[in-house]
Amino acid sequence: MPSNLSDNIPDIVIGRLPIYLRALNRLAQDGHEVTSSHELGQILGISSAQIRKDLSHFGGFGKQGTGYQIVFLEEKLRQVLKVNREWEVALVGAGDLGTALAHYGGFAERGFKISCVFDNAKEKIGKPLNGFTVQALDELETTIKARAIKMAMIAVPAKAAQEVADKLIAVGVRAILNYAPINLNVPPEVRVQYIDPVIHMQRMTFYLP
Amino acid sequence: MPSNLSDNIPDIVIGRLPIYLRALNRLAQDGHEVTSSHELGQILGISSAQIRKDLSHFGGFGKQGTGYQIVFLEEKLRQVLKVNREWEVALVGAGDLGTALAHYGGFAERGFKISCVFDNAKEKIGKPLNGFTVQALDELETTIKARAIKMAMIAVPAKAAQEVADKLIAVGVRAILNYAPINLNVPPEVRVQYIDPVIHMQRMTFYLP
DNA sequence: TAGATTGTTAATCGATTAACAATC
DNA sequence: TAGATTGTTAATCGATTAACAATC
């Protein structure tokens, strides 16, 4: 029983779809037109059964005996994930990390357009940053509301992160990518994803001799 | 039956330990001396039972009626994760991202010392980068073997990432933090962690209206 | 047609939670 | 002592895998 609704689809399934999409992109770039759950599984180190099961939540996108048309499946996954459009993103924090994020081309390439940058350091406000002007935090409310921005990235020190998150949520942001090494407290209607490279490093040392 | 060995401890448990450690750090910084599985669970949005179960894989670190001495538990978790020492890390790629990583103070602060940087662009080789000199990829083997480096970060374009990974593994690297948006093919004795911010963004849009 | 691969069901496996005796 | 919280066991819940009929 395929469905495009949030139905009862496990979040862990949603988490794998972007990975599938990335692998499909690469296959298409390499000139492939068709793939199979088996091939995709090989590439990703995932069982073919899991891939078929995951996809079946959203519809039957393949053909027996043949597999999946790559371009078609990409389109379907983009639809499901709602990344078949451009999302405007607010960036808070214009330090080393914020600057690197503003310069990173990979966001725009894949549908996420950083469209405003905020910082509270006087020496940064008003300075240009990859086509934007860094704005004071005071202007956060007006700008984000005016553009109805729903996504943001937090690249401020851990101490300031919760306060920034609260402000963002108050003006309508519903999805936050948090680079500050701290857990955020947010209401259930807000999604948060965390990026802390040290956490990943610490997860690997356990297995080293 | 507590154990410090890789016993049969699920990787998903190992994955949560660094998160616990980070929360404990913060509590200690805020002047707390004792905490409980309930308090920790509140902060992290995890059930207290899960925290107790996770910790019990490694020993009894708490006291009934009281909870956990924060400093003591931190020490134990650092021991388990093997982050009670300094790890040398090789960085490959000195572009925007590599530069930002080299400048990021959070690694050294938490026990990961970037101790060499490689790139194959002629105009970068020999240039100073946060105290290092960017080395040619040719020197990767000598340097990494000489220092017995076991961890590396890959910050090169997707096209080059697999080749770089192969080289690193060939000279003894056993844990890789991969920033290139591509799945790496590695032998089972090598751990890989992935950081691709776009994947996290795409995982959140599904839930937005 | 014969071979291949899907979508789906049922079986297995593993992770989370609830509950409570032990005890600080 | 009374109250609180651990460590652990058993029960529940959910995710993964195996298997196969359907069919391209």
Side-chain angles (χ1 to χ4, degrees), chain A residues 11 18 22 26 44 80-83 87 110 158 179 181 183 193 196-198 200 202-203 205-208, chain B residues 11 18 22 26 44 80-83 87 110 158 179 181 183 193 196-197 200 202-203 205-208:
Chain A
D11 180 60
R22 192 174 66 181
R26 190 140 296 273
L44 298 173
V80 167
L81 289 171
K82 301 199 182 111
V83 292
W87 290 89
R110 289 152 84 190
Y179 280 89
N183 275 80
Q193 291 278 304
D196 180 352
V198 176
H200 292 280
Q202 291 182 337
R203 185 178 181 155
T205 47
F206 174 81
Y207 298 97
L208 297 179
Chain B
D11 180 61
R22 192 174 67 181
R26 190 140 294 272
L44 298 174
V80 168
L81 289 171
K82 303 201 181 108
V83 292
W87 290 90
R110 291 153 83 189
Y179 280 89
N183 275 81
Q193 291 280 305
D196 179 352
H200 292 280
Q202 290 182 337
R203 185 178 180 154
T205 46
F206 174 80
Y207 298 97
L208 296 178

Side-chain angles (χ1 to χ4, degrees), chain A residues 36-97:
Chain A
S36 65
S37 59
H38 181 73
E39 185 179 45
L40 222 38
Q42 281 282 124
I43 293 172
L44 298 173
I46 286 180
S47 80
S48 62
Q50 180 160 85
I51 291 174
R52 292 197 303 278
K53 187 125 219 286
D54 285 352
L55 295 179
S56 77
H57 283 105
F58 308 99
F61 301 144
K63 275 208 181 69
Q64 285 102 326
T66 310
Y68 303 90
Q69 284 298 124
I70 292 175
V71 171
F72 177 76
L73 183 54
E74 282 185 284
E75 192 187 305
K76 286 300 178 184
L77 288 183
R78 283 209 193 87
Q79 263 173 34
V80 167
L81 289 171
K82 301 199 182 111
V83 292
N84 55 348
R85 66 186 86 169
E86 186 176 81
W87 290 89
E88 284 193 276
V89 182
L91 169 61
V92 187
D96 274 347
L97 176 59

Side-chain angles (χ1 to χ4, degrees), chain B residues 131-174:
Chain B
F132 310 101
T133 301
V134 177
Q135 296 179 273
L137 273 179
D138 299 340
E139 302 177 50
L140 191 148
E141 179 170 356
T142 327
T143 308
I144 291 186
K145 278 192 175 167
R147 305 195 197 165
I149 291 175
K150 295 292 166 214
M151 306 190 84
M153 301 183 202
I154 295 183
V156 303
K159 266 183 99 159
Q162 182 66 56
E163 198 188 322
V164 167
D166 293 343
K167 273 191 185 149
L168 289 167
I169 293 165
V171 300
V173 167
R174 289 293 170 266

Side-chain angles (χ1 to χ4, degrees), chain B residues 3-4 36 39 43-44 56-57 63 67 85 96 103 108 116 125 131 150 153 158 175 182 188 204:
Chain B
S3 156
N4 244 346
S36 65
E39 185 179 45
I43 293 171
L44 298 174
S56 77
H57 283 105
K63 277 210 180 69
R85 69 186 82 168
D96 275 346
H103 282 117
C116 48
I125 297 167
K150 295 292 166 214
M153 301 183 202
I182 188 177
M204 296 193 287

Side-chain angles (χ1 to χ4, degrees), chain A residues 181-206:
Chain A
I182 187 177
N183 275 80
L184 297 177
N185 220 277
V186 303
E189 72 274 16
V190 177
R191 316 291 307 183
V192 184
Q193 291 278 304
Y194 296 89
I195 292 189
D196 180 352
V198 176
I199 295 273
H200 292 280
M201 297 296 276
Q202 291 182 337
R203 185 178 181 155
M204 295 193 288
T205 47
F206 174 81

Side-chain angles (χ1 to χ4, degrees), chain B residues 33-188:
Chain B
E33 293 191 348
V34 172
T35 188
S36 65
S37 58
H38 180 73
E39 185 179 45
L40 221 38
Q42 282 282 124
I43 293 171
L44 298 174
I46 286 179
S47 82
S48 61
Q50 180 161 83
I51 292 174
R52 293 198 302 279
K53 187 125 219 284
D54 284 351
L55 296 179
S56 77
H57 283 105
F58 308 98
F61 300 143
K63 277 210 180 69
Q64 286 102 324
T66 310
Y68 302 90
Q69 285 298 124
I70 291 174
V71 172
F72 177 75
L73 182 55
E74 282 185 284
E75 193 186 304
K76 287 300 179 185
L77 288 184
R78 284 210 193 84
Q79 264 173 35
V80 168
L81 289 171
K82 303 201 181 108
V83 292
N84 55 349
R85 69 186 82 168
E86 185 178 82
W87 290 90
E88 284 193 276
V89 182
L91 169 61
V92 188
D96 275 346
L97 177 59
T99 303
L101 292 173
H103 282 117
Y104 177 53
F107 287 118
E109 238 168 55
R110 291 153 83 189
F112 298 93
K113 184 166 186 282
I114 294 179
S115 73
C116 48
V117 183
F118 302 94
D119 202 299
N120 64 0
K122 287 217 175 81
E123 65 275 18
K124 283 173 196 156
I125 297 167
K127 289 273 166 65
L129 178 55
N130 198 30
F132 310 101
T133 301
V134 177
Q135 296 179 273
L137 273 179
D138 299 340
E139 302 177 50
L140 191 148
E141 179 170 356
T142 327
T143 308
I144 291 186
K145 278 192 175 167
R147 305 195 197 165
I149 291 175
K150 295 292 166 214
M151 306 190 84
M153 301 183 202
I154 295 183
V156 303
K159 266 183 99 159
Q162 182 66 56
E163 198 188 322
V164 167
D166 293 343
K167 273 191 185 149
L168 289 167
I169 293 165
V171 300
V173 167
R174 289 293 170 266
I176 294 173
L177 183 60
N178 179 32
Y179 280 89
I182 188 177
N183 275 81
L184 296 177
N185 221 275
V186 303

